Amino acid sequence: MAKRVISFKLNGVDRDELVLDNMTMVDFLRKQMHLTGTKRGCEEGECGACTILLDGKAVTSCTMLAVEADGHEIVTIEGVRKDGVLHPIQKEFIDKWALQCGFCTPGMIMSAISLLNENPNPTEHEIRDGIAGNLCRCTGYVKIVEAIASAAKIMAKEVAK
Amino acid sequence: MAQTRNEYWSEIRSVYKDPKDYVLAGRGNAYVRIDAEAKVTGTAVYTDDVYLPETWYCKLVHSPYAHALIKSIDFTEAEKVPGVKGFLTGADFPEGHNLGNPEAFKELADKEPLCRRKVRMVGDEVAAVCATTEEAAEEAARLVKVEYEPLPVLLDPFDAMALDAEPIHYPADQPGTANNLSIFTVMKAGDPDKAFEEAYYTDKSYYKTQEMVHAAIEPHGAIAKYENGEYTIWSTTQGAYVSRYWVAWGLGVPESQVRLIKPMVGGGFGGKLDVFAHELCPCKFAERTGHPVKCILKRDEVFKCTRTRHPISFQIESAFSKDGKLLAKRCRHILDGGAYGGSGIAANTLSLICATFPYKVENIDMIARRPYTNHPASGAMRGYSACQVHFAHEIHMDEVANHLGIDPLELRHKNEITPYYTGPTGLEFTSCRFKECMDACAEAIDWKNRWRYPKGSGQAIGMSGSGFMSGTGFPVLVTPHYCSSTTIVRLNREGYAVVYTGANDIGQGCDTVMAMIVAEELGLNMDEVKVVQSDTTTTPWDAGSFGSRVTFLGGNACHHAVGDAKLKLLKHWAEEWGCKPTDIKMADHRVFLPGDAEKNISYNEACYGYEEKNFGRCVAGVGAYNHEGDKDVYVKNVGNYATAYSFSASAAKVTVDMETGAVTLDDFIFGHDCGRPLNIRAVEGQIEGSVLLGFGFTCYEECVYDKDGRHLNPSFRDYRFPTALDMPNITTKVCSEYDEEGPLGAKEAGEGSTAPVGSAIGNAINYATGLVIKELPITPERLWKALREHERTGKTEFGGEDLPEKFANMPPLPKRYNV
Ligand code: FES
Ligand code: FES
């Protein structure tokens, strides 16, 4: 299988990486970059556990080839905490007990970031819609929705400051 | 044993904190999960994240036939794939070392690590491949050629029970004596025949539930290495010790040479209790190649080859007095066991136990049979049999209420279990707030005004009740070890404590609960308690996460361990200070005699002082807990099953689109008697997750098969469960009292909470549509068909239409439990 070098930004750092043409993004991140925070739940685009940000927008990394990242910016869950400080969404997930097994959590958080990037003041329905592609078998989503709503408020206050 | 246990405990109990002084378990539970930060930053390590240099990969070869003989296996083509390093077949494992659950009978260990001669379900594992990359292993697995000779396929459990059926496991002694039962259970009490004769009201109804799967988002998997003659496995297990037992047995090596580590587990729900080929094959390959070997299942393999929830067919007869007293119950439960036993065996007896409460019934005549079929093996699933049983029995309860003209809530109150009631088969109930649970739900949903939604109007509310064991005393997968929990707590003079717990956190948060119990008793902060997770080398024995036993058994073991350590420490200081151990308090990192400023030292000094006096020995405590039940419960079917029981009630508000049959769950109230909640948000989280499972069970989920036993929807696209958009708001009402026996007064909140969900939704749908739906799942398509047929013919009852004839024509029970 052919390989080629791609240039892209990963969690804020410019990188050149030699990748297999047919390697999915999730496998590239996990096996080649050892960034195992991005999870494999179904590998067919249905569960959202592998969600990452591509140029700020949530995408499922199992339905994307690593080579497609060439020239783009990728953020994974490992890149969300900045300078040791948790993102408000991460903080609210902790405080609201918005996770149990945690396997859906990285993908859920990436979708939530993407949602709040586009819509900083979502209604409950918009939050539910924003994470409808992320399956969670443990929580019933109640506390996840609560955590995202609360993070949105906190972030709005920060922006206002 | 009870005597020694009591003496030992009462001394330990004397130094426990007074509940009114609880800091963490009281006042708003303002502490967070100890694993939360790792989980929100992506650093939490799950099985697939365990990275060892030079890891190779394993893939399994599955049967495409539901029932067939294996004629030959040919690796010629597969061998040519670059990177392939080896193959395994059934012959690579010691013959006769089958996996399973010989609780009552040794034949119940019925699963070969890899099939040798026969496959019994689509997806049965027949061979394994090892290669340097996952992709190469996959390709090679595809190229393994297996020749089969197909056998007749049995998918209907009633067909499987026929005396002339093709035997799935046990060859018939003589033609026409086939016995495809994996187990059957008879439970009798009182004089049911007499009660039925004298009753004012009797009936006979049929219900049916479907096959669903656990669908934990983390797929099953394992990674193994072999060093110094020892296998080390990281696995997605719900019970490290029990898995270790079966892995060692399957490999034919002593347990001392197998170390099983449970890293973070991404949900289990019962699906990760059994031991599987994907755990055994990497071990074998690791031994042969010297490389670590990883095997992670793909989603379709999880669907097809792991475990499912038993579909159950019910025949229920009940006898009531005119004023609504439940006099007797006769029921027959047929559980589709699928191809193997494993953790599914206990489901049979449990289905009957669940039918004996949460209502008092003195006269019972119950039989459950679990035939083998060529479906995937049914196993344990959250709310183990209780979800199916309480669906059928609680829909039935509303039917009876409507026949008798008694309000369904009233009928439940007339029969509800009350504190310290002993059931007819020996269940010993203790604390019980069932009544309060029902009342809280009724009030929150405004039950008394329920007719504001007239019958058939497309909107309605429904209620139901249930109970569950809090900490089963019995193993799901029997091993020679008993079903206890053990914990060790070590106090460190540097200002912290370490808890070594075998309890298996699979997402429910028990590691956090253990840390909290220790922190609470020692007056430490949560981050000063370090939890060593279940690992058979570093942590003591625990039987696993099942039967809602973790908080109750594991929590009690942990409480006793920290109590043991605390008692030792306080005895030492009582001697130094000339007081009694019970006079000394531990709080805010200090050990002190209240009211005496001189006798007030730091936790560190206290530990140091103890060590100084004891030649450097550290303060350590050991605690254990088990339920003193009768191991033969599966044979005798009488006796007490758990040390405590939880109770719950549910109320659902639904809207049914009478045109399309689509059901919207508008509101859900859950009342739970879980004893003292150790963390209110954890309890709510368990309940909210239970509502999702219950809603999925009732309206969405079903595994569909073709006539050859092939799974037609093994993906999240085709097997739908509720998303965030489908789920309602959920209100939790904790209606608890302190349970005497529970750790810090707690009971269970993990499985019982799933049991009443389906029937509350089902009852609501029935009132909304004016129909009675007796079969799950109530999908829009099914409901639409029923509504249209009702318009055409006036028929009101739907589902289980095939059952009366099937139940009437069942063969008699065999003489012995098994061939
Ligand atoms: S793993 Fe990518 S969507 Fe499930
Ligand atoms: S927390 Fe387990 S899947 Fe969401």
Side-chain angles (χ1 to χ4, degrees):
Chain A
M1 184 51 65
K3 288 188 175 187
R4 65 177 157 124
V5 175
I6 59 168
S7 305
F8 68 118
K9 195 176 250 190
L10 177 60
N11 294 334
V13 179
D14 288 317
R15 290 193 171 264
D16 300 310
E17 290 288 333
L18 185 63
V19 300
L20 278 169
D21 272 352
N22 67 345
M23 196 174 212
T24 60
M25 191 68 195
V26 67
D27 277 353
F28 167 73
L29 289 169
R30 294 181 53 87
K31 291 182 181 163
Q32 197 162 325
M33 307 309 291
H34 299 302
L35 293 173
T36 54
T38 303
K39 301 300 179 203
R40 304 194 288 180
C42 70
E43 295 169 90
E44 40 193 27
E46 295 294 332
C47 74
C50 64
T51 306
I52 57 168
L53 298 185
L54 171 68
D55 299 330
K57 270 199 168 70
V59 293
T60 49
S61 61
C62 68
T63 52
M64 170 185 173
L65 292 175
V67 292
E68 291 177 71
D70 198 13
H72 295 277
E73 177 171 5
I74 300 288
V75 179
T76 68
I77 188 70
E78 288 89 350
V80 174
R81 172 165 48 182
K82 291 261 161 57
D83 306 324
V85 181
L86 292 174
H87 188 284
I89 297 177
Q90 290 175 312
K91 250 191 109 322
E92 290 310 291
F93 264 63
I94 296 176
D95 286 352
K96 299 284 184 294
W97 286 64
L99 56 91
Q100 288 179 34
C101 81
F103 204 76
C104 70
T105 309
M108 216 39 112
I109 289 177
M110 301 319 282
S111 288
I113 293 175
S114 169
L115 168 73
L116 297 189
N117 278 348
E118 274 171 39
N119 178 0
N121 186 21
T123 62
E124 183 187 327
H125 183 81
E126 285 166 344
I127 294 175
R128 287 181 180 271
D129 196 44
I131 56 165
N134 295 77
L135 294 177
C136 174
R137 195 60 159 167
C138 303
T139 65
Y141 309 102
V142 178
K143 295 191 172 3
I144 294 175
V145 172
E146 210 182 302
I148 298 172
S150 158
K153 283 210 192 86
I154 292 168
M155 287 161 71
K157 266 193 213 134
E158 274 170 18
V159 172
K161 268 190 228 154
Chain B
M1 183 172 138
Q3 194 54 34
T4 34
R5 176 158 115 166
N6 288 343
E7 277 167 23
Y8 164 69
W9 282 4
S10 58
E11 207 185 350
I12 285 180
R13 276 178 188 215
S14 72
V15 297
Y16 280 162
K17 219 173 188 179
D18 186 332
K20 73 173 180 339
D21 297 333
Y22 284 161
V23 177
L24 296 161
R27 290 180 235 155
N29 304 141
Y31 60 94
V32 299
R33 291 179 65 112
I34 60 172
D35 54 4
E37 184 166 323
K39 285 177 174 176
V40 299
T41 53
T43 55
V45 174
Y46 299 79
T47 299
D48 194 15
D49 308 335
V50 173
Y51 171 74
L52 302 173
E54 298 290 313
T55 292
W56 288 354
Y57 292 85
C58 163
K59 276 283 151 195
L60 302 169
V61 179
H62 302 282
S63 164
Y65 290 97
H67 203 188
L69 298 174
I70 301 168
K71 295 274 115 187
S72 65
I73 305 180
D74 177 2
F75 295 113
T76 324
E77 287 304 308
E79 239 164 2
K80 294 181 188 154
V81 176
V84 166
K85 296 295 180 185
F87 300 98
L88 294 172
T89 66
D92 291 298
F93 295 92
E95 180 143 35
H97 281 226
N98 291 351
L99 317 170
N101 186 10
E103 257 151 25
F105 309 96
K106 68 175 182 339
E107 292 88 344
L108 291 177
D110 54 13
K111 175 93 175 97
E112 294 163 323
L114 292 173
C115 300
R116 285 171 168 255
R117 295 173 198 93
K118 190 177 179 182
V119 293
R120 299 178 174 88
M121 57 185 244
V122 171
D124 236 351
E125 299 87 358
V126 294
V129 179
C130 178
T132 53
T133 67
E134 204 170 16
E135 295 72 22
E138 248 166 64
E139 195 187 337
R142 259 196 305 275
L143 293 172
V144 174
K145 280 210 181 65
V146 187
E147 207 188 320
Y148 297 94
E149 180 186 317
L151 295 168
V153 174
L154 289 163
L155 296 175
D156 184 311
F158 290 90
D159 293 347
M161 285 189 290
L163 296 177
D164 57 355
E166 176 74 27
I168 294 174
H169 280 275
Y170 318 119
D173 296 339
Q174 293 149 21
T177 62
N179 173 5
N180 275 322
L181 289 188
S182 76
I183 190 167
F184 73 83
T185 311
V186 179
M187 204 176 271
K188 283 205 166 99
D191 191 344
D193 293 343
K194 183 160 167 274
F196 268 93
E197 239 162 66
E198 294 172 4
Y200 166 79
Y201 166 91
T202 61
D203 61 9
K204 192 189 264 189
S205 302
Y206 299 87
Y207 306 88
K208 201 194 240 179
T209 65
Q210 79 282 31
E211 182 180 313
M212 73 183 275
V213 292
H214 311 78
I217 306 298
E218 179 198 35
H220 298 56
I223 172 168
K225 66 171 184 172
Y226 185 76
E227 274 170 21
N228 303 319
E230 187 188 63
Y231 305 84
T232 303
I233 316 159
W234 290 259
S235 177
T236 58
T237 177
Q238 295 184 225
Y241 270 90
V242 173
S243 291
R244 196 266 301 266
Y245 173 81
W246 289 110
V247 168
W249 170 251
L251 292 170
V253 302
E255 281 180 88
S256 59
Q257 300 315 309
V258 179
R259 174 181 187 182
L260 207 135
I261 301 171
K262 179 208 69 65
M264 295 282 180
V265 173
F269 314 108
K272 293 171 178 169
L273 269 171
D274 292 80
V275 80
F276 298 93
H278 67 250
E279 290 165 304
L280 284 147
C281 295
C283 290
K284 248 296 152 311
F285 280 133
E287 175 199 330
R288 293 220 177 139
T289 66
H291 281 255
V293 176
K294 190 184 258 190
C295 184
I296 306 291
L297 298 191
K298 295 284 172 198
R299 181 51 58 183
D300 67 321
E301 292 179 287
V302 177
F303 269 102
K304 288 191 258 188
C305 325
T306 59
R307 292 292 179 268
T308 67
R309 171 181 274 167
H310 289 80
I312 308 185
S313 298
F314 295 88
Q315 174 181 288
I316 301 174
E317 291 173 79
S318 64
F320 280 83
S321 71
K322 189 170 183 185
D323 63 352
K325 193 169 159 18
L326 174 54
L327 303 172
K329 233 184 213 185
R330 227 185 244 139
C331 43
R332 304 289 178 259
H333 297 172
I334 305 299
L335 289 79
D336 180 346
Y340 295 103
S343 66
I345 292 300
N348 201 60
T349 306
L350 272 172
S351 81
L352 299 185
I353 292 177
C354 290
T356 68
F357 68 114
Y359 306 109
K360 294 178 180 172
V361 50
E362 299 294 333
N363 303 298
I364 57 172
D365 165 5
M366 302 180 171
I367 301 174
R369 311 188 197 199
R370 182 183 186 274
Y372 286 117
T373 66
N374 296 118
H375 279 134
S378 306
M381 181 164 171
R382 191 174 187 184
Y384 212 4
S385 294
C387 296
Q388 302 98 306
V389 169
H390 289 301
F391 169 75
H393 287 255
E394 287 292 290
I395 295 285
H396 181 75
M397 201 72 172
D398 271 46
E399 284 181 82
V400 173
N402 295 331
H403 277 292
L404 290 174
I406 299 175
D407 180 275
L409 177 62
E410 188 57 38
L411 185 68
R412 288 181 168 86
H413 276 322
K414 278 178 194 276
N415 294 290
E416 72 205 2
I417 281 184
T418 47
Y420 297 94
Y421 166 77
T422 297
T425 59
L427 300 187
E428 293 166 24
F429 299 97
T430 53
S431 69
C432 166
R433 289 272 172 112
F434 183 38
K435 177 187 181 329
E436 290 78 357
C437 289
M438 286 196 288
D439 286 341
C441 287
E443 196 188 316
I445 204 92
D446 195 16
W447 176 260
K448 62 179 185 307
N449 292 317
R450 68 194 184 106
W451 294 122
R452 69 185 179 282
Y453 308 115
K455 204 170 182 169
S457 67
Q459 282 192 69
I461 55 182
M463 277 192 68
S464 70
S466 70
F468 203 75
M469 26 277 166
S470 179
T472 177
F474 301 96
V476 165
L477 287 167
V478 145
T479 68
H481 315 285
Y482 199 50
C483 183
S484 56
S485 279
T486 324
T487 303
I488 298 169
V489 172
R490 190 181 81 208
L491 276 48
N492 295 59
R493 63 183 182 204
E494 299 86 356
Y496 64 101
V498 186
V499 43
Y500 303 83
T501 170
N504 294 267
D505 196 329
I506 54 170
Q508 77 276 48
C510 65
D511 283 349
T512 302
V513 165
M514 302 306 157
M516 186 280 276
I517 291 173
V518 172
E520 186 77 90
E521 280 301 339
L522 299 179
L524 297 177
N525 295 328
M526 286 291 284
D527 63 1
E528 290 160 343
V529 178
K530 316 293 171 186
V531 178
V532 180
Q533 280 207 357
S534 41
D535 167 342
T536 56
T537 293
T538 58
T539 63
W541 162 263
D542 181 276
S545 278
F546 62 84
S548 261
R549 62 184 292 286
V550 182
T551 298
F552 205 90
L553 276 75
N556 261 325
C558 180
H559 203 199
H560 294 157
V562 66
D564 187 26
K566 190 174 176 182
L567 183 64
K568 285 177 187 159
L569 184 72
L570 298 193
K571 269 187 174 165
H572 165 79
W573 286 103
E575 214 165 278
E576 296 283 318
W577 291 343
C579 62
K580 294 199 298 289
T582 47
D583 298 334
I584 306 174
K585 298 265 176 281
M586 294 182 80
D588 302 325
H589 227 280
R590 303 208 62 85
V591 180
F592 58 99
L593 197 57
D596 187 340
E598 299 280 288
K599 292 172 177 135
N600 185 329
I601 55 177
S602 73
Y603 171 90
N604 303 36
E605 284 172 280
C607 295
Y608 190 85
Y610 177 97
E611 290 188 18
E612 211 171 30
K613 187 72 182 280
N614 290 283
F615 316 102
R617 261 205 315 269
C618 70
V619 196
V622 180
Y625 190 85
N626 73 350
H627 163 61
E628 294 171 75
D630 183 342
K631 280 192 208 175
D632 291 334
V633 74
Y634 293 109
V635 184
K636 297 194 212 144
N637 302 317
V638 290
N640 190 21
Y641 203 84
T643 323
Y645 295 82
S646 71
F647 292 88
S648 29
S650 284
K653 158 80 189 9
V654 303
T655 300
V656 177
D657 184 326
M658 301 293 274
E659 283 298 313
T660 65
V663 175
T664 309
L665 185 54
D666 303 318
D667 199 7
F668 203 92
I669 321 285
F670 200 104
H672 198 46
D673 165 18
C674 59
R676 176 203 298 282
L678 299 183
N679 186 292
I680 190 67
R681 296 195 71 84
V683 170
E684 287 169 359
Q686 286 292 313
I687 286 171
E688 289 154 5
S690 293
V691 176
L692 177 130
L693 278 191
F695 189 29
F697 173 55
T698 316
C699 294
Y700 289 78
E701 302 176 37
E702 180 171 29
C703 301
V704 184
Y705 294 88
D706 69 10
K707 64 172 192 352
D708 298 320
R710 275 187 291 260
H711 200 312
L712 297 177
N713 56 338
S715 74
F716 285 139
R717 182 171 44 249
D718 299 322
Y719 181 99
R720 275 252 294 136
F721 71 78
T723 68
L725 279 173
D726 305 313
M727 288 299 291
N729 270 318
I730 299 161
T731 308
T732 299
K733 301 274 179 194
V734 174
C735 313
S736 296
E737 62 188 330
Y738 179 87
D739 185 85
E740 277 298 314
E741 187 74 14
L744 277 58
K747 296 197 283 189
E748 73 88 34
E751 291 200 78
S753 48
T754 57
V757 179
S759 39
I761 299 171
N763 278 328
I765 292 174
N766 288 346
Y767 292 121
T769 56
L771 307 177
V772 181
I773 310 286
K774 302 188 157 196
E775 185 170 338
L776 292 181
I778 311 173
T779 57
E781 185 189 340
R782 284 221 180 120
L783 199 49
W784 179 84
K785 277 189 186 151
L787 286 163
R788 296 297 83 85
E789 191 174 337
H790 171 69
E791 279 168 10
R792 278 199 317 276
T793 66
K795 180 176 169 183
T796 54
E797 291 194 7
F798 293 88
E801 283 88 351
D802 56 331
L803 294 179
E805 198 190 321
K806 285 179 171 170
F807 272 102
N809 293 317
M810 280 195 300
L813 286 175
K815 293 235 163 35
R816 284 182 293 149
Y817 280 78
N818 278 302
V819 171

